[in-house]
Amino acid sequence: TQTYITNVNSEAGSFTVVVDQAPQGRQIQKIRVAVWSESNQGNLSWYDATPTGTHTEVNVSTVNHKNLAGNYTTHVYVDYTDNTVEGFNLGQTTLSPRNRRVEPQTTYYSQRDPRWASKWYGVSNMDQSGCVPTSLAMTFTDILGTTVAPTTVADYLYYNTNSFNKTSVAGTDAEGIVSASKNWGLKSNMLSSISSIASALLSGQHVLAAVGASQFINYPYTHEIVLHGYDNGKTYVRDPFNAANNGWYSLDYIHGVKSTDPMDTKLGAPFFSIFA
């Protein structure tokens, strides 16, 4: 087996790892590529690939590594069908990606707006438990280019699903985010890592994030915020409860304060991208 790096584009922050299987060699079952640039492998990402014939290419991007400039170390692990594993150290590749800034949209709604703050749904009102429908309303208004009010989303969730204020615990579960997005003709995708959140934001998608104890909410409660825009590892936050919190925050911080509440992680992770 031969492995090497090609197609290095320093400014784009990308390169390709190639794995070639020898014609008479052991049959490759799986390829795993580990890449990092920070000390202690702080921005380590794994790229898994199934071989495509005798020549397999794995694309690496700094988007998956906090978009940092630096010397990227690459290790390749090849799993064979005979249950053996072979490792390769491809050394370091220097990347200096341009700072790709995505400007945020800033439509803002407050769940505490007197127009709807006191409106009651089941066990609570918009003021106290309307963060998800309000975050969704901001997102839908941005993407669709037409006004979608928080109460319009709340009405849909309360009267058409079992996700919003239907139990003794106030709030909206993760299924409500998926259901409402679909109802407005949009797609949603659960995100489980910082790199996947960064990728979604760099592509212009909105991300709904459920957070625990943090700048945005006090323990033991959780809260939903909207992420949109990207600039050098940071994203712009809109907080439906407190507009004073609106601004740029690092993805490391937001991911570090992610909610672990069962309602928010019902589908696996508390982050969802929403897009047309």
Side-chain angles (χ1 to χ4, degrees):
T1 298
Q2 182 181 13
T3 66
Y4 55 95
I5 289 174
T6 188
N7 298 331
V8 177
N9 190 326
S10 180
E11 286 193 352
S14 64
F15 59 84
T16 302
V17 175
V18 176
V19 179
D20 288 331
Q21 180 177 293
Q24 306 301 321
R26 290 171 290 175
Q27 189 72 29
I28 297 175
Q29 183 176 50
K30 184 179 181 181
I31 298 164
R32 295 170 291 142
V33 179
V35 181
W36 69 93
S37 69
E38 287 187 307
S39 59
N40 301 316
Q41 301 183 343
N43 62 342
L44 170 70
S45 277
W46 286 90
Y47 301 78
D48 293 338
T50 301
T52 53
T54 59
H55 179 86
T56 303
E57 296 186 354
V58 180
N59 295 318
V60 174
S61 172
T62 55
V63 168
N64 300 316
H65 306 269
K66 306 177 185 177
N67 212 39
L68 296 178
N71 295 319
Y72 281 79
T73 299
T74 303
H75 288 179
V76 179
Y77 301 92
V78 178
D79 296 271
Y80 297 99
T81 55
D82 63 2
N83 294 322
T84 59
V85 179
E86 189 174 10
F88 303 85
N89 183 348
L90 301 188
Q92 294 187 329
T93 305
T94 301
L95 300 175
S96 301
R98 297 185 305 273
N99 177 28
R100 286 181 281 175
R101 180 182 173 99
V102 176
E103 294 295 336
Q105 290 178 286
T106 54
T107 298
Y108 183 73
Y109 294 132
S110 170
Q111 67 197 78
R112 313 190 77 182
D113 189 310
R115 289 176 291 177
W116 47 67
S118 61
K119 186 168 182 179
W120 203 266
Y121 293 93
V123 297
S124 187
N125 61 18
M126 286 291 288
D127 185 308
Q128 295 301 308
S129 64
C131 57
V132 170
T134 306
S135 293
L136 286 169
M138 287 189 262
T139 299
F140 296 165
T141 297
D142 281 352
I143 298 174
L144 299 174
T146 185
T147 299
V148 179
T151 44
T152 304
V153 180
D155 286 348
Y156 166 77
L157 288 170
Y158 187 73
Y159 294 111
N160 297 278
T161 77
N162 291 317
S163 293
F164 175 47
N165 285 4
K166 289 295 182 68
T167 68
S168 59
V169 179
T172 309
D173 65 26
E175 288 180 343
I177 294 172
V178 174
S179 178
S181 299
K182 184 176 181 180
N183 183 70
W184 265 268
L186 301 174
K187 301 172 184 176
S188 60
N189 185 36
M190 187 188 71
L191 308 172
S192 57
S193 66
I194 293 177
S195 62
S196 62
I197 296 170
S199 295
L201 293 168
L202 273 167
S203 67
Q205 297 177 10
H206 291 67
V207 175
L208 258 66
V211 295
S214 61
Q215 169 81 21
F216 311 103
I217 193 73
N218 295 323
Y219 179 85
Y221 303 104
T222 66
H223 186 47
E224 200 79 22
I225 54 178
V226 182
L227 317 181
H228 191 250
Y230 184 87
D231 185 19
N232 199 29
K234 295 182 178 181
T235 188
Y236 192 87
V237 171
R238 280 171 284 173
D239 179 351
F241 191 80
N242 183 2
N245 286 331
N246 293 356
W248 291 91
Y249 294 81
S250 75
L251 288 181
D252 282 342
Y253 174 72
I254 293 170
H255 191 266
V257 296
K258 66 182 179 182
S259 170
T260 57
D261 187 280
M263 287 182 68
D264 301 322
T265 60
K266 190 173 184 178
L267 299 179
F271 301 101
F272 289 86
S273 61
I274 300 175
F275 51 98

